[in-house]
Amino acid sequence: MAEPVVSRVFSAEHRWRLALGVLGLAVAVFPWDGPPVGLFGAVPLLLWCGSWTGPRRVGVIVGLVLLGLPVWFVVVPGLGFSGRWVPSAAEVLWLHPLLAAAVCAVGAKVGRQRVRGWRLTGVAALGFLLLGFLWLARLESPPGDEGVLPALAVLRVEEGELLCGSGGCARQARATGDHAPEAVRDRLAARGFTHRDPLAADARLCRTTGLVVQHEVCAELRDVSADVVRVVWYLD
């Protein structure tokens, strides 16, 4: 009698595939209170777990490396870190699959398997197409939340009209609450926003991410009073 499909899936030979796949999907939808922008980062891991036929040890090691990539590309920015070594959201679409393809190629060589790069090549090509589409769609569109709106979540927030000019569009919101200006500054700082020049007296804070292509968003605090602050943010 043939072994049931469920038993084969949960056998010791395949348990590592299921575990890594579930972890990869959990990581890819981080932060869990926002849109799952990192799901694209789970595709290389799922392809590897589903198609590897070589030694299990090699499969597990390469799978763990592939799991570490979305942790770097999705979780680290989602936690509010910024800087030269923090990937931008756009790099999840093109740089991540390129790195993943290199990792899979090395794993295939070590496991003495044929290098079948067409799947990940297709993922990378799809990423570039999505990136081009998003770039065209955002030419005249306002910025997204960019970590600013989540920073205002503890206050009463009313979004204002878009501010558009020749340089693009900016979003604005009016935040009200106890010590609102200080609360907004602290919350933005916790999400990686800092003054470009610590000695400057202006109220503009910026956050830069991107390993290869820099992505910078700036937030300005305007019309500050004791319990009210107007925040304007835009891509710089």
Side-chain angles (χ1 to χ4, degrees), residues 10-231:
F10 286 96
S11 66
E13 176 64 28
H14 298 293
R15 235 173 261 154
W16 67 272
R17 305 174 191 269
L18 182 63
L20 285 175
V22 170
L23 287 173
L25 288 174
V27 167
V29 296
F30 186 89
W32 297 286
D33 60 348
V37 295
L39 276 176
F40 198 82
V43 175
L45 174 61
L46 295 177
L47 287 175
W48 176 263
C49 291
S51 62
W52 178 248
T53 58
R56 181 169 62 178
R57 183 178 180 182
V58 175
V60 171
I61 292 175
V62 173
L64 289 172
V65 175
L66 293 175
L67 178 62
L69 285 178
V71 170
W72 182 21
F73 275 75
V74 178
V75 176
V76 172
L79 290 174
F81 290 96
S82 61
R84 188 67 182 83
W85 296 103
V86 177
S88 65
E91 288 175 328
V92 177
L93 296 176
W94 68 273
L95 184 58
H96 175 270
L98 292 179
L99 293 177
V103 171
C104 291
V106 172
K109 286 291 187 182
V110 172
R112 297 181 179 179
Q113 300 292 305
R114 186 192 309 175
V115 178
R116 298 176 179 177
W118 64 268
R119 291 188 182 93
L120 287 176
T121 300
V123 173
L126 177 60
F128 278 106
L129 288 175
L130 288 173
L131 183 65
F133 174 79
L134 292 175
W135 181 78
L136 289 174
R138 294 187 66 174
L139 282 178
E140 299 297 333
S141 63
D145 291 352
E146 297 291 349
V148 178
L149 275 185
L152 307 179
V154 296
L155 302 170
R156 296 186 298 275
V157 178
E158 297 178 6
E159 278 209 64
E161 296 181 356
L162 295 178
L163 304 174
C164 293
S166 58
C169 294
R171 291 174 67 180
Q172 61 175 331
R174 180 184 177 93
T176 306
D178 292 337
H179 307 290
E182 292 81 2
V184 170
R185 287 191 186 92
D186 292 343
R187 296 275 293 184
L188 287 174
R191 300 190 70 86
F193 286 82
T194 59
H195 287 285
R196 278 182 170 179
D197 182 0
L199 300 179
D202 64 10
R204 181 172 62 169
L205 299 95
C206 299
R207 182 173 73 174
T208 302
T209 56
L211 300 173
V212 178
V213 180
Q214 297 294 294
H215 177 85
E216 185 175 52
V217 57
C218 291
E220 296 183 8
L221 279 60
R222 301 177 179 176
D223 300 336
V224 177
S225 64
D227 296 316
V228 179
V229 61
R230 186 163 65 100
V231 184

